[in-house]
Amino acid sequence: MPEHVCLDPHDPYAQREVRVAFERIGSGFRLIAAIDACDDDILPDLVDAQRADLIREIADAERAADRVPPAFVGARSPAPC
């Protein structure tokens, strides 16, 4: 199951990230889990708009993966719990 690092929807300052597990379905994605820095799955706590943001972020990364060398795709340091 693929994973992607996305901005944490609960962080208003966009400084933390979550690991999002997903699967491809047709031309879209289905979110499976969103694991924060404390290893908690926050996906059940997200509203539809936050889930849509994660899907959009994953889709953008998938499109960009063909054009951006892997060395330039990095993750920020996780925040302490």
Side-chain angles (χ1 to χ4, degrees), residues 6-12 16-18 20 34 42 46-47 49-51 53-54 57:
C6 296
L7 293 175
D8 184 339
H10 289 158
D11 180 12
R16 294 184 311 224
E17 295 178 326
V18 294
V20 180
I42 64 167
L46 302 180
V47 297
Q50 291 170 316
R51 290 171 184 244
D53 286 343
L54 292 176
E57 197 170 334

Side-chain angles (χ1 to χ4, degrees), residues 26-57:
S27 62
F29 303 95
R30 182 175 79 86
L31 302 178
I32 306 227
I35 308 301
D36 67 9
C38 299
D39 286 329
D40 294 325
D41 184 3
I42 64 167
L43 188 60
D45 301 332
L46 302 180
V47 297
D48 289 340
Q50 291 170 316
R51 290 171 184 244
D53 286 343
L54 292 176
I55 290 171
R56 190 172 18 262
E57 197 170 334

